[in-house]
Amino acid sequence: MSAPRTPAAEELRGAGLRVTAARVALLETVRDGDHLDVETIASGVRDRVGHVSLQAVYEALHALTAAGLVRRIEPAGSPARFEGRVGDNHHHVVCRSCGVVADVDCAAGEAPCLTASDDHGFSIDEAEVIYWGLCPACSTASSS
Ligand SMILES: [Zn+2]
Ligand SMILES: [Zn+2]
């Protein structure tokens, strides 16, 4: 199978990663989606390139996350989600009821956007912020 030449393939190459059809499909799936979990990503990859094992999807996600092409978020109590919006310090708002995730732009623009009241001598480079609440659909449902 010859490696595809698409923008996603070029980015994989640029990040020093081996380019495979499955990895290209994975990157495209994550970017087209909205904070997808692994199962959803796997089915998106399969829609594009045919059967790919879940293990291969996990390995590719790990490689692409390590290379900074995708970002992994893991709200407490919910499975890991992946997104293609990288390189900024945006945060997430998560619905306590249904688990839907939305992006929230960083108020300060750069990490760490919160100043620790006591840094304990650490050189702090990131504050992980997750806002929790009820999404519009769930708050409508719970008030009726
Ligand atoms: Zn909800
Ligand atoms: Zn996001």
Side-chain angles (χ1 to χ4, degrees):
M1 185 162 39
S2 71
R5 299 196 73 84
T6 64
E10 293 306 321
E11 284 187 56
L12 288 166
R13 206 168 276 119
L17 294 172
R18 192 164 47 87
V19 179
T20 66
R23 284 182 173 184
V24 170
L26 183 139
L27 185 54
E28 290 172 350
T29 300
V30 170
R31 287 190 175 163
D32 288 352
D34 186 16
H35 308 101
L36 304 178
D37 62 18
V38 175
E39 299 283 338
T40 309
I41 293 168
S43 71
V45 171
R46 288 169 190 149
D47 286 347
R48 286 172 157 87
V49 296
H51 184 75
V52 176
S53 73
L54 199 54
Q55 181 62 29
V57 169
Y58 273 107
E59 285 170 7
L61 278 171
H62 182 81
L64 268 62
T65 303
L69 294 177
V70 304
R71 176 172 163 188
R72 174 195 173 101
I73 60 166
E74 201 163 1
S78 100
R81 313 287 194 91
F82 295 85
E83 66 180 340
R85 182 175 166 185
V86 297
D88 68 356
N89 188 52
H90 77 273
H91 309 299
H92 294 99
V93 56
V94 183
C95 178
R96 285 187 197 285
S97 178
C98 70
V100 72
V101 177
D103 287 335
V104 179
D105 287 345
C106 179
E110 277 177 29
C113 58
L114 291 178
T115 305
S117 56
D118 181 352
D119 64 15
H120 296 276
F122 284 51
S123 158
I124 294 174
D125 57 34
E126 184 181 356
E128 188 175 287
V129 179
I130 296 185
Y131 300 95
W132 292 91
L134 286 178
C135 72
C138 290
S139 46
T140 305
S142 68
S143 66
S144 61

